[in-house]
Amino acid sequence: SDPDQKRISLQKLNAMVGYAEALTCRRQVLLGYFGEHLEEPCGNCDLCTEPPERFDGTLVAQKALSCVYRVGQRFGMRHVIDVLRGSSQERIVRLGHDQLSTWGVGEEYSDHQWSSFIRQLIHRGFLFQDIANYAVLKLTDKARPILKGEATIELAMPRAIEKKSKKKKK
């Protein structure tokens, strides 16, 4: 019944989902959760032995990182994704985030894809998710070269979610 406890539990659940849905080295994900960073993949986990499809994610990363910066590094993943996808929700309009240059620049990707991209940026140390402060996204020093176009980044394309067919009841 305590709202703060519910919020913390939900954030922990989301972190666990992030681990389960990870597309980067699981050891990097696990260490990232505890604030440590492993530069190279471990080479032993399931994702290192059977890696997902990768692509040059520099532009995607620049969009996400720029959006986090433009919303003042004061909002969580859901809000950032809504801005990137061009949502016209009342809260986004009220805050003026529909006037930002990053509003709607990522409409070609789904919510699921953006969640995956942002989780990858968190796991790899470009973004920090402040769990103690409503899971607000913040840029790290590592994000600067990506934003300035001085570095590139390779991201994994999220795997398609398989929808289970509903069985008809007799």
Side-chain angles (χ1 to χ4, degrees):
S1 63
D2 180 19
D4 286 334
Q5 186 60 41
K6 282 183 182 178
R7 180 178 52 83
I8 292 168
S9 295
L10 184 60
Q11 289 168 353
K12 286 181 179 180
L13 177 63
N14 286 335
M16 194 181 319
V17 168
Y19 179 75
E21 293 178 352
L23 297 171
T24 56
C25 172
R26 294 210 191 269
R27 184 167 288 170
Q28 287 177 318
V29 173
L30 193 57
L31 289 174
Y33 177 79
F34 292 106
E36 298 179 32
H37 298 287
L38 180 67
E39 291 299 321
E40 295 295 321
C42 71
N44 297 317
C45 68
D46 63 325
L47 293 171
C48 287
T49 57
E50 293 181 40
E53 173 190 344
R54 298 197 174 274
F55 71 103
D56 180 3
T58 306
L59 185 59
V60 169
Q62 286 173 331
K63 288 177 181 181
L65 297 172
S66 180
C67 188
V68 169
Y69 176 78
R70 293 186 192 290
V71 297
Q73 301 183 69
R74 297 178 306 141
F75 296 89
M77 187 186 311
R78 177 76 259 147
H79 187 83
V80 170
I81 292 170
D82 286 343
V83 172
L84 285 165
R85 296 203 64 227
S87 173
S88 296
Q89 293 177 358
E90 184 271 331
R91 183 174 187 221
I92 289 174
V93 173
R94 181 173 33 89
L95 293 168
H97 293 167
D98 60 331
Q99 303 301 312
L100 297 175
S101 60
T102 54
W103 183 80
V105 298
E107 59 190 0
E108 71 272 20
Y109 295 110
S110 68
D111 284 354
H112 170 70
Q113 289 171 314
W114 273 117
S115 294
S116 175
F117 297 148
I118 291 173
R119 280 192 194 109
Q120 290 178 61
L121 293 171
I122 292 167
H123 299 325
R124 295 181 56 191
F126 296 99
L127 285 173
F128 170 71
Q129 192 172 28
D130 190 355
I131 300 296
N133 186 20
Y134 299 96
V136 167
L137 293 174
K138 297 184 181 205
L139 299 174
T140 66
D141 292 336
K142 205 172 171 183
R144 185 177 307 273
I146 298 291
L147 280 169
K148 290 187 172 186
E150 298 167 354
T152 61
I153 182 172
E154 192 175 72
L155 296 174
M157 186 56 78
R159 293 181 176 144
I161 299 174
E162 294 179 23
K163 294 186 179 184
K164 295 180 181 178
S165 62
K166 294 181 181 179
K167 294 182 180 178
K168 293 182 182 180
K169 293 183 179 179
K170 292 182 180 179

